[in-house]
């Protein structure tokens, strides 16, 4: 490990009354990978945005190679060879990889795509990237796009790299590839900072771990001298039991039978292709797959929110003991039958919550029906709101706080809690813990398990394979709109799921 590449001393940043970072001290050395670990809202991204010139600290100083520097813009950051790879890529779709990489650069000898492509190939060879400089962005997989972003900062000479949640969108195999590349960069003397909340990745990849909690620096430990429970305790401030109580499946009755679903989107692309599966009461069926493989369309199809081009969704309705075909029913009819969808999308407020309304009113949005007086039924939603606030520890002054004033994680708890509170017979949840802290995540996993014990049929779409394997009974893998396999969650491995995730339509791996 080399000398200190970058040091932060007493960095403080506030937004209005919110303290995002308070007196944070941090050192990253050349030739090391430092993980910055902390729950959502612990100030990890804000801190990195100050190093990369997006924000300017209110207080404190930044040193690079022992010299104090002032970083007022991303351009300043580049002069100090700092490059940040954000979670959401900033690439121009119709340009090739090479064009994106040189975009906005003043090359000394003018713009020469051939020279650039040659340099990109050199960088790729040096670190083990797998990229075709001439390929257009819109033809690329998510991991290829991420590769372009990383090469873009290397091309500009960065030797301090910051990656924000880099594995959130990758399969296990792609994650391994990325880790190999990052280790090569480290061995080449670069300083690498990874922002993450995935404990097992921190332990697998980094040399040291810095933990932040609520904007404050908690401490830095050597990875090889720590473990998951110590890191969790540093993150949360108290001991947390990291186990999901998975119960056995009992008294199972087939609740849903999905037959030959086909769905073509507006662009004419088949997003669901001959989907067949069944779901029983008292089980949790996990759905795994690379983002955008049809998970969303599948859940929306069952909830009546997608136009289907073929197939049936047969629902064994416990209220009538009849088999109903949900295809052709309105979303409201499907909800009334007890089939509920809680989809936690990237924009939590865009989906099903009204930002300016308070928590109670948002609860009412779901229970309000034509015919009931809109103004009288406030007691039940208020009780419901208070129950959710208490059970899921929603951080809010009270149930009448407008939802837009809650943090994303708290908004999410309201979304998920609202569906569970409706006592459904089929509960579909997508990414219900995205962005939640460890404590809340485990609260939600255990709530889902309680639903399962009550005989609810649960579909859980998640991105963390470790969780899917611990929580679910079966895991169905979906790739490019097809089901590529279903495995027993109790006996499968991450590798097996990863291979199913990358299987293409023709049943071969598309590398």
């Amino acid at each position: 490990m080399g000398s200190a590449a970058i040091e932060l001393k007493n960095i403080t940043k506030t937004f209005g009354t919110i303290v995002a970072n308070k007196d944070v001290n941090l050192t990253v050395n050349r030739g090391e990978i430092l993980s910055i670990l902390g729950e959502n809202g612990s100030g990890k991204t804000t801190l990195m945005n100050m190093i990369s010139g997006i924000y300017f600290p209110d207080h404190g100083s930044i040193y690079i190679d022992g010299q104090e520097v002032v970083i007022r813009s991303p351009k300043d950051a580049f002069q100090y060879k700092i490059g940040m790879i954000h979670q959401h890529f900033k690439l121009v779709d119709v340009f090739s990889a090479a064009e994106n990489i040189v975009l906005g650069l003043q090359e000394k000898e003018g713009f020469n795509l051939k020279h650039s492509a040659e340099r990109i190939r050199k960088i790729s060879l040096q670190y083990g990237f797998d990229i075709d400089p001439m390929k257009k962005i819109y033809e690329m997989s998510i991991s290829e796009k991420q590769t372009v972003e990383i090469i873009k900062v290397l091309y500009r000479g960065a030797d301090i790299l910051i990656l924000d949640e880099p594995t959130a969108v990758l399969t296990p195999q792609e994650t391994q590839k990325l880790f190999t590349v990052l280790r090569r960069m480290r061995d080449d003397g670069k300083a690498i900072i990874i922002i993450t909340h995935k404990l097992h990745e921190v332990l697998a990849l980094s040399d040291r771990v810095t933990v932040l909690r609520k904007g404050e620096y908690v401490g830095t430990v050597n990875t090889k001298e720590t473990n998951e429970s110590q890191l969790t305790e540093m993150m949360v401030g108290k001991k947390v039991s990291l186990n999901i109580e998975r119960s056995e499946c009992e008294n199972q009755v087939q609740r849903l039978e999905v037959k030959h679903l086909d769905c073509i989107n507006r662009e004419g692309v088949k997003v669901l292709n001959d989907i067949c599966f069944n779901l029983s009461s008292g089980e949790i069926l996990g759905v795994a797959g690379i983002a955008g493989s049809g998970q969303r369309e599948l859940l929306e199809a069952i909830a009546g929110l997608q136009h289907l081009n073929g197939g049936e969704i047969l629902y064994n309705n416990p209220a009538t003991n009849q088999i109903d075909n949900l295809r052709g029913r309105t979303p409201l009819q499907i909800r009334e039958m007890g089939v509920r969808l809680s989809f936690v999308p990237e924009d939590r407020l865009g989906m099903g919550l009204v930002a300016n309304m308070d928590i109670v009113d948002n609860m009412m949005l779901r229970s309000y029906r034509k015919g009931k007086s809109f103004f009288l039924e406030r007691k039940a939603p208020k009780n419901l709101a208070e129950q959710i606030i208490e059970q899921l520890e929603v951080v809010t002054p009270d149930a009448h706080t407008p939802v837009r004033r809650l943090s994303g994680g708290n908004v999410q708890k309201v979304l998920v809690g609202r569906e569970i509170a409706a006592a459904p017979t089929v509960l579909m949840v997508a990414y219900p813990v995205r962005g939640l802290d460890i404590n809340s995540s485990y609260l939600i996993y255990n709530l889902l398990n309680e639903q399962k014990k009550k005989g609810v049929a649960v579909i859980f779409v998640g991105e963390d394979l470790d969780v899917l394997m611990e929580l679910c009974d079966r895991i169905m893998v979906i790739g490019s709109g097809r089901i590529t396999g279903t495995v027993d969650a109790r006996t499968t491995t991450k590798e097996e799921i990863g291979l199913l995730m990358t299987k293409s339509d023709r049943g071969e791996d598309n590398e």
Side-chain angles (χ1 to χ4, degrees), residues 479-496:
S480 335
R482 278 178 180 266
I483 291 173
T484 53
T486 301
V487 294
D488 180 338
R490 290 171 170 78
T491 55
T492 187
T493 62
K494 264 174 144 168
E495 287 61 39
E496 183 182 18

Side-chain angles (χ1 to χ4, degrees), residues 51-55 71-80 82:
I51 299 178
S52 60
I54 293 170
Y55 296 147
I71 301 175
R72 288 192 178 276
S73 68
K75 204 171 161 192
D76 288 351
F78 262 125
Q79 283 179 328
Y80 297 117
I82 297 167

Side-chain angles (χ1 to χ4, degrees), residues 64-287:
I64 290 176
D65 296 325
Q67 300 290 316
E68 188 171 347
V69 298
V70 173
I71 301 175
R72 288 192 178 276
S73 68
K75 204 171 161 192
D76 288 351
F78 262 125
Q79 283 179 328
Y80 297 117
K81 300 189 170 180
I82 297 167
M84 180 154 170
I85 293 95
H86 295 271
Q87 239 177 321
H88 302 292
F89 308 139
K90 300 169 170 57
L91 297 169
V92 182
D93 258 6
V94 294
F95 282 10
S96 66
E99 288 166 330
N100 269 284
I101 287 165
V102 298
L103 198 63
L105 273 182
Q106 265 74 46
E107 300 270 353
K108 284 187 198 69
E109 66 281 3
F111 183 69
N112 180 331
L113 206 56
K114 213 166 131 199
H115 285 180
S116 304
E118 205 36 58
R119 242 188 88 194
I120 292 165
R121 286 198 181 93
K122 258 199 188 126
I123 294 174
S124 303
L125 207 64
Q126 184 179 357
Y127 297 115
F129 287 112
D130 186 11
I131 195 86
D132 167 6
M134 291 315 177
K135 194 170 177 182
K136 299 268 192 270
I137 300 297
Y138 65 81
E139 299 173 328
M140 292 189 174
S141 71
I142 290 181
S143 78
E144 288 175 300
K145 290 178 189 173
Q146 186 183 56
T147 301
V148 175
E149 287 280 19
I150 297 173
I151 294 177
K152 196 159 101 180
V153 300
L154 291 172
Y155 190 94
R156 287 153 201 243
D159 55 19
I160 299 169
L161 281 91
I162 304 166
L163 294 97
D164 189 357
E165 299 280 0
T167 63
V169 290
L170 304 181
T171 66
Q173 283 83 346
E174 290 166 340
T175 297
Q176 286 312 321
K177 264 191 195 163
L178 174 68
F179 284 5
T180 306
V181 168
L182 292 175
R183 289 187 187 106
R184 281 191 190 142
M185 291 187 195
R186 169 191 67 193
D187 298 343
D188 190 38
K190 297 198 182 295
I192 298 171
I193 304 173
I194 302 260
I195 306 177
T196 182
H197 61 272
K198 293 186 180 174
L199 290 167
H200 48 271
E201 287 181 358
V202 169
L203 295 166
L205 179 68
S206 54
D207 301 297
R208 292 187 307 141
V209 190
T210 291
V211 181
L212 297 181
R213 181 168 73 235
K214 294 189 175 134
E216 299 194 27
Y217 172 83
V218 178
T220 301
V221 290
N222 290 329
T223 310
K224 52 179 184 288
E225 294 158 11
T226 186
N227 57 37
E228 285 200 12
S229 55
Q230 184 195 356
L231 290 173
T232 307
E233 200 173 328
M234 287 173 76
M235 273 165 75
V236 180
K238 60 182 178 199
K239 275 194 165 39
V240 175
S241 94
L242 293 178
N243 50 10
I244 297 172
E245 302 291 328
R246 172 167 46 198
S247 53
E248 291 305 316
C249 301
E250 287 167 8
N251 325 329
Q252 287 190 297
V253 179
Q254 184 161 303
R255 204 40 83 223
L256 270 189
E257 187 183 1
V258 173
K259 291 171 143 179
H260 308 296
L261 282 198
D262 282 326
C263 175
I264 296 169
N265 70 8
R266 289 197 187 98
E267 284 80 52
V269 176
K270 216 169 201 194
V271 285
L272 294 179
N273 190 343
D274 197 28
I275 297 272
C276 301
F277 71 95
N278 52 42
L279 172 70
S280 296
S281 61
E283 81 161 331
I284 299 181
L285 173 67
V287 179

